């Protein structure tokens, strides 16, 4: 059974940093592209980052490019999202995703940016 468990969210001040983790199990992690999405209050869920199987190519959404980076550790079956220089607008629930026959989602981790 595919399982994705996000962690690392919490409260951060504007300009601060957080590192999110997604622990994966139940599938061949190293053979699958991993994704980060987020959903802010009142907004549609949007793609934040994509990390190919070996991490050699990543896509970062324009809205966070230059501040967020995504990576993976295939030995640990874990994908990361490093968030720096956080803005109020980055407040959202962040989700890990993988497409194994169908999309699979983690439970999400809340990120709140507030002063």
């Amino acid at each position: 059974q595919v399982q994705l468990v996000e962690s690392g969210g919490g409260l951060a001040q504007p300009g601060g940093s957080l590192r999110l983790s997604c622990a994966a199990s139940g599938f061949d992690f190293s053979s699958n592209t991993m994704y980060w999405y987020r959903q802010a209050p009142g907004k549609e869920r949007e793609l934040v980052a994509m990390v190919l199987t070996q991490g050699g190519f990543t896509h970062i959404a324009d809205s966070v490019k230059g501040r967020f980076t995504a990576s993976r550790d295939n030995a640990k079956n874990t994908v990361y999202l490093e968030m720096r220089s956080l803005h109020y607008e980055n407040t959202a629930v962040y989700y890990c995703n993988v497409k194994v026959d169908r999309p699979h989602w983690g439970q999400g981790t809340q990120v709140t940016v507030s002063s």
Side-chain angles (χ1 to χ4, degrees):
Q1 182 178 352
V2 173
Q3 288 189 313
L4 303 170
V5 181
E6 301 95 335
S7 62
L11 179 65
Q13 295 183 341
S17 300
L18 287 172
R19 190 192 194 200
L20 307 184
S21 298
C22 172
S25 62
F27 65 99
D28 188 354
F29 179 82
S30 64
S31 296
N32 283 274
T33 297
M34 300 298 297
Y35 304 83
W36 284 102
Y37 287 79
R38 69 182 178 188
Q39 187 165 26
K43 297 184 178 180
E44 297 290 325
R45 189 172 299 187
E46 64 175 340
L47 178 67
V48 177
M50 176 179 69
V51 189
L52 269 62
T53 55
Q54 301 303 312
F57 176 82
T58 61
H59 168 78
I60 306 295
D62 288 341
S63 60
V64 299
K65 191 174 296 182
R67 299 186 296 113
F68 289 14
T69 57
S71 62
R72 65 192 295 156
D73 187 338
N74 286 340
K76 296 181 178 180
N77 283 12
T78 302
V79 63
Y80 304 95
L81 184 67
E82 182 76 25
M83 308 185 298
R84 302 174 64 85
S85 189
L86 285 162
H87 300 163
Y88 294 114
E89 293 77 15
N90 299 140
T91 294
V93 178
Y94 285 74
Y95 298 91
C96 185
N97 172 274
V98 65
K99 296 176 175 61
V100 183
D101 298 326
R102 64 174 178 85
H104 297 267
W105 301 91
Q107 82 287 351
T109 185
Q110 175 72 50
V111 172
T112 301
V113 183
S114 177
S115 59

